[in-house]
Each structure stands twice: as C-alpha cells, then as structure tokens.
Amino acid sequence: MAVVLILVLVAVASVLFHLLSPWWWTPIASNWHYIDNTIIVTFWITGVVFVAVVLFVAYCVYRFRHRPGLKAHYEPESRKLEFWLATVTAIGVAAMLTPGLFVWHQFVTVPSDATEVEVVGQQWLWSFRLPGADGKLGTSETRDVTSDNPLGINKNDPAGLDDIIISGGELHLPMDKPVKMVLRSIDVLHDFYVPEFRAKMDMVPGMVTYFWFTPTRTGTFEVLCAELCGVGHPQMRGTVIVDNDEDYKTWLGQQQTFTQLMASGETKTVN
Amino acid sequence: MVNIPSSMDDPIPPAEVEDVELYHSHSWWTTYVFSQDAKVIAIQYSMTAMAIGLVALVLSWLMRLQLGFPGVFTFIDAERYYQFITMHGMIMVIYLLTALFLGGFGNYLIPLMVGARDMVFPYANMLSYWLYLLAVLILVASFFAPGGPTGAGWTLYPPQAVLSGTPGGADWGIVLMLLSLIFFIIGFTMGGLNYVVTVLQGRTRGMTLMRLPLTIWGIFTATVMALLAFPALFVASVMMLFDRLLGTSFFMPAIVEMGEQLQHAGGTPILFQHLFWFFGHPEVYIVALPAFGIVSDLISTHARKNIFGYRMMVWAIVIIGALSFVVWAHHMYVSGMNPNFGFFFATTTLIIAVPTALKVYNWVLTLWRGDIHLTLPMLFALAFIVTFLNGGLTGLFLGNVVVDVPLSDTLFVVAHFHMVMGVAPILVVFGAIYHWYPKITGRMMDETLGRIHFWVTFLGAYLIFFPMHYLGLLGMPRRYYEMGETAFVPPSAHSLNEFITIVALIVGAGQMVFLFNLFWSVRHGKDAGGNPWRATTLEWQTPTTPPPHGNFGKDLPIVYRWAYDYSVPGAAEDFIPQNQPNDDRISREPS
Ligand code: HEM
Ligand SMILES: [Cu+2]
Ligand SMILES: [Cu+2]
C-alpha cells in the first residue's frame, strides 16, 4: 500500500512543484518567446503523459497486488492496442516537433537587416567588435593575434580599419534592432550565453559561428560562458546592456576604432 | 548451425553437446583468478566495476559539497572540481555501467539463459577482463600522476583537453585517460565478440531467437551497438593522443594560448565532437538497452504475467538500436556545426521516442491484470519506470532542437541525463542484483536492508534530480565550479543546492547499506533453493545452485517454449519453465 501512496505522491508532488516552485526561467528580453512557447507546449504534453503513466502504474499496483488466490491474466499481445498507442504517441511527438522545426527555421534564418556584432572569446574573457561606418566587419585571423592586435584583425583589410573594438567585456546593443552575433574564439571552445535572450552558441577556434536575435527590452544582462573552457570557465563573465536609441548613440560615440587604438597604442595584451 | 525443428510437433533430437571433462580447470588459479568460466569473469567484472564505481560515488559527494556549500571545503579548488567531474562522469558511464551491464550481467546471463555451457571463446573472454582491469588501473593511476587526472569534462573536447588551461591537459592526465579508454575498448571488443557469437551460435536446441528472454535481446543488441560505436571513440582517442604527444593537428586549429601562438594549424575541434557523439549517443543506449531487457524480465517474473507484446518489445529494441546511430548530433545543436543539421537530427531524435514509448506502455500493460509481488526486484522495476519515464520525457525537450538552445549546457541537461541514464539504469542494476543474487550465491539478500536501500535510493535520487531541472530552466549552467554573484540567480536557488547536496549524501550513505547486504548475505542470507522466484528461464533450471562450470550438468536443456509462460490457463503452476516439454500444448506463445 505504501508503494501505491508514494507513487501517487510522486506524480502529485511533481506537478505541484512545477506549479509552485519559485524557480522558473528569467523574464525574456528577446524575440525568442517562440522558444518559450514551444517549451510550454512540451511541458503540457509530457506532463500529462508523466502523470497518466505514473497514476496508471499506481492503480495497477493497487488493484493487482498479490493476494492469495489471485491469478494473472494470460494475454501475450494485442495488435490493436499496440497500434493505437503507437499512433497516439506519434501524434503527440509530431505536435511538439512541428512547431519546434518552424521556430528552428526562424532561428537559422538571419534577417537581412541584422547588424553584425562580433564576439571573441579567449581564456577567460570576452571582447567585442562592431562594424564601423562602412557597416562591415573586416577580416580576421587567429595567426594575426599579437599583443597590440588581440583580436587578430587583418590590418590590410580596409573594411576592418573603422571597426569598433570593445575590450573589457561590456557590450551595448540598441533595442528592437535585429543583431547577428558573429562568434569567434582564439584559443578553446567557449559559448556565448545570455539567459534572458534564450539563445546561445559555441565559439570554436578556427571557425566562425553565429546566431541572431532582437533585444526587446532595455536593461543590463549578464553574459555567461556555457562551454567548459578550462579552470576559469565560471569566472568568464561579461555584460550586455540594451539601450534605447539615444543612449546607444551616446555610448557608440565614445568607443574607439581599430585605427585609433593602433595609433594610440592603447591596446595591450588583455591577459 | 544445429537444425532446430520449426514446429513443436517435430520430434526433438537429443542434445549433442555433452559435458567434456578436459575442459574443466584444475588449479585454484585457473578456477578463481585466470578463469575462463564466464560466471567467474562476470563476478570479476562486477566487483571491479563496483569498486571503481564507489570512487565515482565519492567524487559525486565532493562535487555536491562544493556546489551546496561553495567555499567551505577549501581543498576542493576549481582544478580539483573539474577533475572530479570528469572522472565521475567517465567512470559512471564507461567503467561502471558499460562494464557492469555487458561484462558483468552479459557474462553471467548469456550462456545460462541461452542454454550454453560457456561463452564461445573463453580465452578471449578472460583476456577481456584483464584488459578491462588494466584500463581501470591506468585510470586510477592518473589520480596519482603529476598534474592529476584530466579535468576536461567526460566529453574530453579538444582543444582545451590538451592545453594547459585545463587540469591534466599539458600533464599526464589526458594521456592516461586516452590510454585507458584505448585499453578498455580493446578489452571490450574481445568480450563483445564473445557475447554476440554466443547468442548467435551457442543457443541450445529449441532456443529460437524469438524465444530469447528480453534480457538477452537487450544485452545482445547493446553489444552489437558497442562493437560498432566504440571504434569511433577509439580513433578519436588515438588522434587526440597524437595531437597531444606528437604535435599533429587533427583537432587543433591555429590557437593563441595565453598570448602565445601554438604550432598547431588546420585541424577542426568539431570533428572530434562528431566522432565522440557517434560513439556517445549509442553509448546511452548501450547502457539503456540491457536495462530495458532486464527490467522486462523482472516485471514479467514478479508480476507472474507474460511480458506484454513480446515481439513488439524485440523489434523496439532493434529499431532503437539502429536509429540511435543517426541521432548523435543532437548533442551538438549549439556546437557551431551547420545549423541545417538541426532539422534532420531533431526529427530522427523525436522518432526514437515512439518505439521507446511503446516499451514503457508494454511494461505498464504487463502490470495490468498481473499478480504483482512487491518483491525487491519489482520495487526497483517500478522505480525504473518512473525515473526512466521522467528522463525520457525531458529528452523530448532537449531533442527538439530549438528547445535545446536555451537548455543545453545547463543543469537541465545534467538532471535529464542523470535521470535517464544514471538513476534509471542503476535502479535496474540493483533490481537485477537482488533478482539473480540467489542464483549466484545460493542465498537471498536481506529483505529489510533491501527495502531501506530501495526507498532511500529511489526517493533520494528523485529529490536530487527532479528539482535540478528547474535550476537549469532558470539558466544555471552545468560544469560551474561556483555560481558566484549572478544577478538572475535568486538566493532560494542556493538553498535548493544545499538541499540537493544533503540528499545526495544520504543517498550515498544508503549505498553502504547495499554493500553491507551484498557481502553479509553471502554467508548469512536465507537459503534460496534453485528457483526462488519460480521463474521460467533456463538459468533457474540448473542442476545445482550456484551453477557448476559448464552450467547444466551432463545434458544441455532443450527449449520447448518462450520465456514468458506465466499463469498459463490450465497449467498446474503459475509458471512453466522453458525446458518443460510442451505435451500439454497450453502455451500460446506468439508466433
Ligand atoms: C547520487 C548519485 C549521483 C550524484 C549526486 C551525481 C552528481 C553529479 C554532479 C554534481 C555532476 C556535475 C554537474 C555539473 O556539471 O555541474 C555530475 C556529472 C555527471 N554525472 Fe553524476 N551523479 C550521480 C550519479 C551518476 C550516475 C549513476 C551516472 C551514470 C551515468 C552519472 C554520470 C554523470 C556524467 C556523465 C556527468 C557529466 C560529467 C561532465 O560534465 O563531464 N552520475 N554528477
Ligand atoms: Cu567557458
Ligand atoms: Cu544522444
């Protein structure tokens, strides 16, 4: 009997915990509420299945627990039942997968008006680069990284000369403008992760990865590294500040371009 | 192969394989140490796996102490923490679960359950164990090597795995880890070939494939998968070893490490991830399928009812095994691989959910109208259903590519895989030990201690891992030595972490009850007799208990029916052993 009660308790307590616990996702700050919606759909479908199956098991244990004289029923299989269960399951799975794939399609389709923002990871800090007046990021190469060119920007590429370099780990973004985060690493794997934006992507040395989103509210958000990158992994933090247009312009005006930095010799080894 | 009569009306020729005197060992060493008897090898495998598993358990306490009470235990610094994580994960998955299910249960049960005298290649089988032991010793040695074991995470991702920012990366740690894996794989291959060939070639008369107990189907399919999947890990390990020792660049692009240009160029870290997960995903099922098989037999035996939908269960095992080779990149949705892979891998991953769900339904339907004995194995089987269901359902979150994006690399993932491939299979391991212990030792394990162990383990593990999903949903990343001050993490999340740690310590202590029971009952357990659970399969029909070398005495058993003739209407008892002639024709095995 204890078994039956505890099984029921497991089902009920899990649901109550889900409903009442204070731990839930952070308030969203990007356009990816589609992702949140898909999670909700998934919670519903899986939650119903979980409760139904556990309660069914509890009922079976209650109803068919051994008593003297009880004899089990002999029934090797039932094609019909198995067919129906398979069909219903397939429908449930499709109900989760279909919206999921639609949203994934949006996730991988970067809008043409998205501004590129480059994030460069290294053990254990973040740097950022914004395209300058030409709207284009210059090319870069890990081989070109030196103490006065820590991001390895190609000095012979004119597109790179006006790029804006932000070291010190604090990036500003304008609200409601789609951005394409272009991700690079010069040493090991890292992962650019801001929980409020719901998106993340690994940064892989030797290649450029990306994802896009649109910030939908102003505020200060913490950047975490979400890919184990050595002993400093949990300390690898940064900040993204989403501004309204005016504040963003003011901030942008204070930043220095690659050329200015090279001239002033201010860029030092960031380690 | 022997010609097996296809219809039950054919006369069945007598067994041809007789017990041969020559074949038995004659000295203490060859009987108990360098033994070629699969049953002894099974016990060697199991004891070694449990011993090293105990190390992994202790490591989990240390990690939990750090997560629950950061800064209190100063000897756990970041470096040690990452070493603990890595060793814990690697040991649990490979050196404990894989070794225990295949080397342990596989060796013990395959020959007995298919009606063979032993494995087909006993000598290679013996080597398999000694290579496994060597692999374990190398792994243990890395704890004492300069720089300590590797701290790269059990996934060993390059480039960091071989660089100095990771513990053991520029020292011995990663080298010993890779060497250990290489020896493990060689050893496993010798054992694995045995398991496959024995199932295919060593079955006794009448034991058709569709009469095999599901335990054997699970172990057999898992072994085939392991033989196909481990080579990917093998090459990846060898290539990484070359990158580390010879300066090649299979996985190493141009890198500036701490301001210094390294010599590597042109390699790609993502290639390693593909190789790793080509092995790593099937690995999940290499652990899960034996558990599926065993739990089916536990449920059927202890509910005194045939497993519901036997043929569906067999096909589901085979289909899951095959499909699991085309889903590996669901571990790489945010790895930076071409994002269009996401469509394919999300679809294949969610398709696997269907045969998996059918298995769960069939387990529960087996309970329906059964005669459920709440024995220890049955309790563990019920707990398996709950935890596996829970972990399987959260897999639908992580498999659905876009939902994985916010959740991947958070504690949600840690909670998910512990539930589905940590807790659920371990519960089956325990259920299976309580179930087969009487056959192995001739004695029952203590019931009261077993029940204490059960409740602490089941409820404790659920309390540890269920709430942990919500910390991941909140956004707490995995593999964080400490959360530090993070604006979005409320103080209540730290309290939850303390709670989880305390429960983890209690669950760990509960395992000591099990270990005590395991050793104590060898001498002091109740006498079990040959078939205490009144089960149908061949291992319970041996002439003596524990079974002798050669398993079945003079003649091998002949099989007349499937493994699930429980509560057959019209039969005198509520079970009919597989080797009982079918004169009565009352069995209705599906065909
Ligand atoms: C009560 C038992 C256990 C406890 C308390 C426990 C605890 C933990 C903890 C705290 C972590 C690190 C989480 C993080 O990334 O922050 C971890 C990681 C892990 N555990 Fe367990 N664990 C247990 C049992 C198991 C079992 C049975 C398995 C077998 C599959 C397992 C496999 C793993 C793996 C693969 C990792 C990942 C290691 C990595 O990130 O590289 N654990 N565990
Ligand atoms: Cu990191
Ligand atoms: Cu997988």
Side-chain angles (χ1 to χ4, degrees), chain A residues 1-3 6-7 10 13-15 17-18 21-26 35 38-39 42-43 46-47 49-51 53-54 56-57 59-61 63-67 70-79 81-83 85-86 89-90 93 96-97 99-105 107-108 123-124 142-146 186-191 193 195-196 198-210 222 224-237 269 271, chain B residues 78-79 82 151-153 157-160 163 165-167 253-256 258-259 261-262 264-265 269-270 273 303-312 334-336 339 342-343 346-347 350 353-354 357-358 361-362 364-365 367-374 379 382 386 389-390 393 396-397 400-403 405-410 455 459 462 466-467 470 473-475 477-483 485-488 492-493 496 562 564-569 571 587-590:
Chain A
M1 266 345 216
V3 182
I6 289 177
L7 285 174
V10 166
S14 301
V15 173
F17 184 92
H18 178 87
S21 97
W23 306 293
W24 191 242
W25 55 43
T26 49
I35 295 185
T38 316
I39 295 184
T42 314
F43 261 123
T46 56
V49 173
F50 181 72
V51 172
V53 174
V54 175
F56 184 83
V57 171
Y59 178 73
C60 286
V61 174
R63 183 68 211 287
F64 304 110
R65 70 187 183 284
H66 175 69
R67 281 148 294 166
L70 181 69
K71 191 159 178 174
H73 181 63
Y74 190 78
E75 184 189 19
E77 52 190 29
S78 158
R79 291 264 172 114
L81 183 57
E82 288 173 273
F83 173 80
L85 286 172
T89 308
V93 166
M96 291 178 279
L97 180 63
L101 291 185
F102 272 105
V103 181
W104 182 245
H105 180 74
F107 191 82
V108 301
Q123 288 173 330
W124 287 280
T142 308
R143 278 277 169 262
D144 293 342
V145 171
T146 56
I186 61 167
D187 46 30
V188 302
L189 304 174
H190 301 278
D191 188 297
Y193 174 43
E196 288 86 349
R198 298 295 185 266
K200 67 162 77 72
M201 188 56 71
D202 276 10
M203 321 175 59
V204 185
M207 64 190 272
V208 178
T209 58
Y210 66 89
E222 193 149 357
L224 293 93
C225 179
E227 183 65 75
L228 178 57
C229 54
V231 282
H233 172 54
Q235 273 88 44
M236 186 165 163
R237 303 292 176 101
T269 329
N271 302 314
Chain B
E79 202 152 301
Y82 287 118
Y157 281 179
Q160 49 265 51
L163 296 179
T166 298
I255 288 171
V256 181
M258 309 287 172
Q261 293 273 358
L262 301 186
H264 297 284
I270 299 250
Q273 299 184 21
R304 316 307 297 159
K305 185 160 174 269
N306 61 80
I307 193 77
F308 183 78
Y310 171 80
R311 287 182 296 176
M312 169 81 93
V334 296
S335 69
F343 295 105
T347 309
L350 266 68
V354 178
L358 287 173
Y361 301 148
N362 284 0
V364 250
L365 288 171
L367 295 172
W368 180 251
R369 301 184 72 181
D371 172 17
I372 300 172
H373 290 61
L374 290 171
L379 289 178
L382 295 175
V386 174
L389 177 69
N390 191 288
L393 290 170
L396 291 168
F397 290 70
N400 200 354
V401 53
V402 79
V403 177
V405 170
L407 298 178
S408 91
D409 280 308
T410 67
W455 288 112
L459 294 180
Y462 198 81
F466 184 78
Y470 291 82
L473 195 64
L474 175 68
R478 71 188 277 206
R479 294 171 167 175
Y480 262 36
Y481 162 65
E482 57 189 356
M483 215 40 231
E485 285 298 310
T486 307
F488 70 83
S492 63
L496 179 56
W562 68 332
Y564 301 99
D565 266 341
Y566 287 104
S567 307
V568 179
S587 165
R588 275 186 285 155
E589 83 180 273

Side-chain angles (χ1 to χ4, degrees), chain B residues 54 57 61 380 426-427 430 434 452-458 460-461 504-518:
Chain B
L54 209 56
L57 179 69
W61 297 342
F380 279 97
I426 287 270
L427 290 171
F430 289 134
Y434 287 108
I452 295 171
H453 173 228
F454 169 74
W455 288 112
V456 171
T457 308
F458 169 45
L505 294 174
I506 296 173
V507 171
Q511 306 320 302
M512 303 308 129
V513 176
F514 168 75
L515 283 180
F516 173 77
N517 198 352
L518 190 72

